[in-house]
């Protein structure tokens, strides 16, 4: 591990960092600029390099951050250019999964979205809202989905119905092979 990208400050997205850093501290952490100063200072004291993210940019060849998105809960997502199209990896997608996908396409200039993977922040949302998000993702040409974490059972069920064979189960230990271009 050379680079760590943290989506947002919630403990369920940063809590495992200590265990990773116990094994290897010579890393660079890409964190939203809105992260608390004490958090960033603690990383620096451990010898971790920090890249603060405000705007979208390329992290390394074929790997991008969406930049910090959202109003209340600031968050970034990771975007990979693969031979099959973009792969968008969300933390919780607090800014809205549709807006995250739009930003990923804008940042990269790519139109094909092969996979959107991660939390879609839809727990407790009404079925009508989830269906609207499904329509929007289809309009954005999202080919495959892998909702997990804070997506919620109802959303996973509806995504599975809509995407069929292009729905991927996702969770801890799941491996997905991608060919980065």
């Amino acid at each position: 591990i050379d680079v760590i990208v943290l989506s947002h400050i919630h403990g369920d997205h940063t809590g495992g960092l200590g265990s990773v850093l116990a094994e290897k501290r010579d890393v660079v952490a890409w964190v939203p600029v809105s992260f608390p100063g004490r958090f960033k200072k603690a990383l620096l004291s451990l010898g971790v390099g920090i890249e603060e993210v405000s705007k979208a940019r390329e992290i390394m060849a074929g790997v991008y951050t969406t930049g910090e998105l959202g109003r209340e809960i600031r968050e970034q997502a990771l975007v990979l250019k693969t031979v099959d199209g973009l792969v968008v990896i969300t933390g919780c997608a607090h800014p809205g999964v549709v807006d995250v996908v739009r930003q990923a396409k804008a940042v990269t200039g790519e139109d094909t979205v092969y996979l959107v993977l991660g939390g879609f922040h839809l727990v407790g949302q009404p079925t009508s809202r989830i269906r609207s998000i499904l329509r929007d993702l289809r309009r954005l040409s999202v080919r495959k989905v892998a909702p997990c974490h804070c997506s919620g059972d109802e959303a996973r069920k509806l995504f599975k119905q809509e995407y069929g064979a292009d729905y991927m189960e996702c969770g801890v230990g799941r491996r997905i092979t991608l060919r980065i271009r």
Side-chain angles (χ1 to χ4, degrees):
I1 298 174
D2 298 313
V3 173
I4 296 171
V5 179
L6 298 174
S7 60
H8 61 294
I9 194 58
H10 288 164
D12 56 334
H13 292 264
T14 61
L17 190 56
S19 296
V20 173
L21 297 178
E23 297 295 322
K24 184 172 191 235
R25 291 187 182 178
D26 185 21
V27 297
V28 176
W30 289 66
V31 300
V33 71
S34 63
F35 268 37
R38 68 185 182 283
F39 184 91
K40 293 181 271 193
K41 191 180 235 182
L43 290 180
L44 289 169
S45 74
L46 294 171
V48 173
I50 293 185
E51 285 287 336
E52 293 186 85
V53 175
S54 57
K55 298 188 184 313
R57 63 186 193 183
E58 192 171 30
I59 293 174
M60 61 184 66
V63 180
Y64 299 79
T65 169
T66 58
E68 194 176 50
L69 303 172
R71 289 186 206 103
E72 294 170 25
I73 298 173
R74 308 288 288 166
E75 184 172 341
Q76 70 175 327
L78 196 60
V79 185
L80 311 174
K81 279 188 177 182
T82 75
V83 297
D84 297 311
L86 297 178
V87 173
V88 180
I89 304 171
T90 67
C92 282
H94 287 105
V97 68
V98 171
D99 288 340
V100 171
V101 170
R102 283 188 182 119
Q103 177 69 357
K105 291 173 83 166
V107 166
T108 61
E110 299 283 327
D111 195 46
T112 303
V113 179
Y114 173 68
L115 171 65
V116 180
L117 158 76
F120 294 179
H121 200 62
L122 297 173
V123 171
Q125 292 296 314
T127 299
S128 60
R129 172 138 169 72
I130 297 168
R131 289 191 192 284
S132 173
I133 289 166
L134 279 163
R135 281 190 299 277
D136 288 343
L137 291 177
R138 284 295 196 185
R139 284 186 196 116
L140 288 167
S141 303
V142 172
R143 196 167 125 206
K144 294 179 182 265
V145 293
C148 61
H149 184 52
C150 59
S151 299
D153 293 338
E154 179 68 10
R156 280 192 285 275
K157 180 184 89 175
L158 293 171
F159 272 81
K160 189 171 188 173
Q161 286 172 359
E162 173 68 26
Y163 276 86
D166 288 329
Y167 174 89
M168 298 173 72
E169 293 290 339
C170 183
V172 174
R174 171 73 180 195
R175 290 180 184 228
I176 300 171
T177 303
L178 304 168
R179 296 175 294 158
I180 304 294
R181 59 174 171 143

